[in-house]
């Protein structure tokens, strides 16, 4: 009985729980539904608000676009208006020009009519003159015309010849003065020192005992020095000095510097000699590089190729007829630039050509050919300006000069080498040069005598008039000058003058 009661109570409790749960679930569902409705209402309100904002923003953007479009339309209308005004002004200008051209055309037609009338009048006068000439001389019209034209042609030719002669005389008178003034100005504006040419260098030593140390045991030291430097070391009776001899000035300077270092150090043996020579070679190369850099700055010729600079530096120790070639190059550059500036030529080309004209002398003892051609080849190899290379190769007329700058470089080179005090040579070499000049001339057939005058700058040749005519005299002058250029070395230029004189003598009795 109690079990049934428990079951009944349990069922009743279950039913009550189910009822309570159902009631609670309904209330929760009602609450959720209300919340969902409220949320839906909020979303609808927000959607309506967003829609209104979007509509308002769209209206604002549409209004801005409309305003911008209206402003652009106004600007374009204003631009069209201005264009129409310019076109209108151009049309008016064209109309005025057209009217002016029409007036000119009318004037030209009027002048053509007047000219035609004058031409017809001139033709009438000419015909009447021809008829008069024919009547007077009895010549036909064609014959009279030919005679008249010949007479006029002779008069014109004579007048032209007279004017040409007058102009030639005027040019000769003024050009000579102008050239002398330009050259004198260039020479006066530049001066340079004189150096003595030498193929030997003297190294002082503290005592004669040092000579034996330089020679070494069985001459091994002196042989090592000569082998390392390529020079001749001369040890004679000269007190407190030894002599270094070589035609290559760079090798001679390396040897002199190395010997000086060895003498000061006192340790002289083959290994030490080799170290001293290598150090001296580096020092000399540094000095040449500094000299080349300083020379380019002084001459005003910059941006040269490094290999050209290296070759240029070797001229620091090169001399020609007592004149240092690097100083001569700087001097020639200044003189060429001054002459070019005076006559209106290209100053930079003349300056560079004058500065580099003797570049080949740095290696002419190593490379076959003349220094002018060698220098031009070096410049072309390293992409220098062709105008500058031409100035270099033409400065001794081995190549005909094609530009005024090349001729200026020739003049500047002659001025630098030929000015007073620029170069000097020994008395023996001077006398030998004059004798060689005279012998070249007297070896020619028909030459009676030859005289080297003006310190060897002019060769005066006297020929026999009965065996040498004028044409042969000119040929002798040309051949002698070519032989001098090919066989001799001399500063500046040498003038060759051939004199042919015929004398007629009679006695009145």
């Amino acid at each position: 009985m109690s079990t049934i009661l428990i079951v009944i109570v349990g069922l009743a409790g279950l039913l009550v729980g189910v009822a309570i749960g159902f009631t609670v679930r309904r209330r929760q569902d009602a609450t959720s539904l209300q919340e969902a409705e409220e949320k839906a209402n909020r979303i609808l309100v927000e959607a309506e608000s967003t829609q209104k904002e979007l509509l308002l923003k769209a209206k604002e953007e549409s209004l801005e676009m409309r305003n911008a479009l209206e402003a652009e339309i106004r600007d374009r209308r204003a631009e069209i208006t201005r264009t129409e005004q310019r076109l209108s002004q151009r049309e008016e200008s064209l109309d005025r020009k057209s009217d002016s051209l029409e007036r000119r055309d009318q004037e030209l037609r009027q002048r053509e009519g007047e000219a035609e009338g004058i031409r017809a009048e001139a033709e009438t006068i000419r015909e009447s003159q021809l008829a008069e000439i024919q009547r007077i001389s009895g010549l036909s019209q064609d014959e009279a015309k030919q005679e008249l034209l010949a007479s006029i042609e002779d008069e014109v030719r004579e007048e032209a010849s007279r004017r040409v002669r007058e102009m030639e005389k005027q040019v000769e008178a003024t050009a000579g003065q102008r050239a002398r003034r330009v050259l004198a100005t260039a020479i006066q504006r530049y001066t340079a020192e004189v150096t003595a040419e030498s193929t030997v260098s003297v190294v002082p030593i503290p005592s004669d005992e040092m000579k034996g140390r330089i020679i070494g045991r069985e001459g091994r030291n002196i042989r090592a020095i000569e082998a390392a430097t390529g020079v001749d070391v001369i040890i004679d009776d000269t007190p407190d000095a030894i002599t270094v001899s070589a035609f290559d000035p760079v090798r001679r300077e390396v040897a002199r510097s190395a010997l000086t270092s060895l003498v000061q150090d006192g340790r002289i043996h083959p290994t030490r000699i080799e170290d001293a020579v290598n150090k001296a070679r580096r020092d000399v190369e540094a000095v040449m590089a500094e000299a080349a850099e300083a020379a380019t700055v002084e001459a005003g010729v910059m941006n040269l190729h490094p290999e050209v600079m290296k070759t240029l530096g070797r001229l620091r120790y090169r001399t020609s007829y007592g004149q240092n070639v690097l100083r001569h190059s700087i001097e020639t550059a200044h003189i060429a630039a001054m002459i070019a500036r005076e006559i209106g030529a290209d100053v930079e080309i003349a300056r560079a050509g004058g500065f580099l004209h003797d570049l080949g002398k740095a290696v002419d003892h190593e490379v076959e050919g003349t220094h002018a051609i060698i220098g031009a080849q070096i410049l072309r190899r390293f992409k220098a300006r062709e105008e500058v290379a031409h100035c270099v190769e033409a400065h001794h007329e081995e190549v005909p000069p094609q530009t005024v700058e090349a001729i200026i470089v020739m003049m500047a080179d002659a001025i630098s080498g030929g000015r007073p005090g620029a170069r000097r040579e020994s008395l023996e070499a001077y006398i030998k040069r004059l004798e060689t000049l005279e012998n070249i001339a007297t070896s020619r057939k028909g030459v009676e005598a030859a005289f080297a005058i003006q310190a060897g700058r002019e060769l005066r040749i006297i020929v026999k008039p009965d065996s040498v005519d004028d044409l042969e005299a000119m040929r002798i002058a040309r051949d002698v000058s070519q032989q001098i250029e090919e066989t001799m070395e001399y500063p500046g230029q040498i003038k060759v003058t051939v004199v042919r004189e015929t004398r007629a003598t009679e006695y009145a009795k």
Side-chain angles (χ1 to χ4, degrees):
M1 190 69 182
S2 59
T3 304
I4 295 172
L5 182 62
I6 292 170
V7 170
I8 293 171
V9 172
L11 290 172
L14 178 63
L15 292 174
V16 172
V18 170
I20 293 170
F22 181 75
T23 304
V24 171
R25 180 65 181 270
R26 287 190 61 184
R27 288 182 180 177
Q28 288 179 347
D29 290 343
T31 303
S32 298
L33 180 62
Q34 184 178 0
E35 290 178 355
E37 289 178 355
E38 291 177 355
K39 187 175 182 180
N41 291 330
R42 287 198 303 272
I43 291 172
L44 289 175
V45 172
E46 291 177 356
E48 290 177 358
S49 175
T50 303
Q51 183 179 7
K52 291 180 180 179
E53 290 178 356
L54 290 175
L55 289 174
L56 181 60
K57 187 175 181 181
K59 289 181 180 180
E60 291 177 352
E61 291 179 355
S62 175
L63 182 60
E64 290 177 356
M65 291 177 60
R66 180 178 178 182
N67 293 334
L69 182 60
E70 291 178 353
E72 183 178 357
I73 292 173
R74 287 196 299 273
D75 293 340
R76 290 188 178 182
R77 286 178 179 176
E79 181 65 25
I80 292 172
T81 302
R82 289 193 294 270
T83 303
E84 290 177 350
Q85 291 176 354
R86 287 197 297 269
L87 290 175
S88 177
Q89 292 175 356
R90 288 184 181 181
E91 288 178 358
E92 293 178 357
S93 176
L94 289 174
D95 291 339
R96 290 195 297 269
K97 290 182 179 179
S98 177
D99 295 340
S100 176
L101 289 175
E102 289 179 358
R103 289 194 298 271
R104 290 185 180 180
D105 187 37
Q106 293 177 358
E107 293 177 357
L108 287 175
R109 285 198 295 269
Q110 183 178 358
R111 291 182 180 179
E112 286 179 358
E114 294 176 355
E116 189 65 29
I118 294 172
R119 192 179 297 111
E121 184 179 355
E123 185 66 23
T124 303
I125 296 173
R126 176 176 170 276
E127 290 178 356
S128 64
Q129 288 179 346
L130 289 175
E132 183 67 17
I133 292 173
Q134 183 178 2
R135 184 183 63 78
I136 295 174
S137 61
L139 300 175
S140 64
Q141 182 175 359
D142 293 337
E143 292 174 346
K145 182 187 296 184
Q146 294 297 328
E147 184 174 347
L148 179 61
L149 291 176
S151 175
I152 294 173
E153 184 178 358
D154 292 339
E155 291 179 2
V156 170
R157 185 181 293 109
E158 183 179 355
E159 179 67 18
S161 300
R162 183 182 64 80
R163 291 193 177 185
V164 168
R165 287 193 298 270
E166 291 178 354
M167 292 175 66
E168 287 179 350
K169 291 180 181 179
Q170 183 178 2
V171 168
E172 289 177 358
T174 58
Q177 296 175 358
R178 172 68 173 167
R180 285 192 293 271
R181 184 167 61 251
V182 169
L183 295 180
T185 301
I187 293 172
Q188 290 172 359
R189 288 176 60 188
Y190 191 85
T191 58
E193 70 278 4
V194 177
T195 60
E197 180 178 18
S198 176
T199 58
V200 297
S201 298
V202 177
V203 180
I205 58 178
S207 64
D208 288 345
E209 184 268 339
M210 183 62 71
K211 292 182 180 180
R213 299 175 63 181
I214 292 174
I215 295 173
R217 182 179 301 175
E218 297 179 355
R220 65 171 188 171
N221 289 344
I222 193 171
R223 286 196 301 271
I225 294 171
E226 291 179 345
T229 59
V231 302
D232 294 328
V233 180
I234 301 172
I235 300 178
D236 52 19
D237 296 334
T238 305
D240 300 331
I242 58 176
T243 303
V244 178
S245 177
F247 284 102
D248 188 332
V250 177
R251 291 205 304 264
R252 189 172 67 247
E253 178 62 20
V254 170
R256 186 200 65 78
S257 178
L259 279 171
T260 301
S261 175
L262 289 169
V263 169
Q264 291 175 353
D265 184 55
R267 295 175 298 169
I268 304 176
H269 51 82
T271 304
R272 175 61 181 158
I273 289 170
E274 184 177 354
D275 293 339
V277 170
N278 290 333
K279 182 179 183 302
R281 187 175 288 114
R282 290 193 298 270
D283 293 342
V284 170
E285 289 177 354
V287 170
M288 291 190 299
E290 292 177 1
E293 186 69 27
T296 56
V297 173
E298 184 175 353
V301 181
M302 310 301 290
N303 300 323
L304 295 178
H305 193 277
E307 290 298 324
V308 175
M309 293 287 290
K310 184 177 179 180
T311 305
L312 187 68
R314 296 171 65 90
L315 298 179
R316 166 68 174 77
Y317 300 106
R318 180 75 154 83
T319 58
S320 178
Y321 291 95
Q323 189 177 31
N324 181 269
V325 177
L326 190 57
R327 295 302 312 172
H328 165 63
S329 300
I330 296 171
E331 181 177 347
T332 303
H334 287 303
I335 294 174
M338 287 184 279
I339 294 175
R341 190 175 292 108
E342 289 287 337
I343 66 176
D346 193 314
V347 176
E348 297 307 319
I349 291 177
R351 186 193 303 276
F355 182 59
L356 300 170
H357 77 286
D358 276 346
L359 181 67
K361 285 187 177 181
V363 293
D364 59 353
H365 57 285
E366 302 173 357
V367 182
E368 185 176 355
T370 63
H371 72 273
I373 301 300
I374 294 171
Q377 291 173 351
I378 292 173
L379 292 176
R380 290 193 176 101
R381 187 183 311 139
F382 297 109
K383 309 301 181 184
R385 295 181 65 178
E386 178 60 29
E387 298 88 345
V388 177
H390 175 66
C391 291
V392 172
E393 68 183 357
H395 80 275
H396 281 318
E397 295 188 277
E398 293 162 326
V399 173
Q402 302 294 330
T403 62
V404 66
E405 290 79 16
I407 297 174
I408 290 173
V409 171
M410 292 169 55
M411 296 168 58
D413 180 35
I415 291 170
S416 176
R419 64 176 178 80
R423 296 180 176 181
R424 63 186 179 191
E425 56 187 333
S426 65
L427 179 60
E428 182 181 355
Y430 170 72
I431 294 174
K432 184 177 180 181
R433 181 161 62 88
L434 298 189
E435 291 176 350
T436 304
L437 284 173
E438 294 177 354
N439 292 335
I440 290 174
T442 54
S443 63
R444 300 286 170 176
K445 183 179 179 181
V447 175
E448 184 175 359
F451 306 97
I453 61 177
Q454 294 186 4
R457 298 192 181 280
E458 181 177 356
L459 180 61
R460 192 74 55 86
I461 304 173
I462 311 299
V463 298
K464 300 175 182 178
D466 53 347
S467 60
V468 177
D469 57 11
D470 291 340
L471 184 61
E472 182 66 20
M474 290 187 290
R475 187 178 297 111
I476 289 174
R478 186 182 65 252
D479 293 344
V480 169
S481 64
Q482 289 180 353
Q483 186 175 353
I484 291 172
E485 291 177 357
E486 294 171 357
T487 61
M488 295 184 63
E489 292 185 1
Y490 49 89
Q493 61 183 6
I494 297 176
K495 179 181 179 182
V496 179
T497 303
V498 177
V499 179
R500 179 179 181 271
E501 183 180 25
T502 302
R503 297 184 181 181
T505 305
E506 293 290 342
Y507 295 94
K509 299 181 180 178

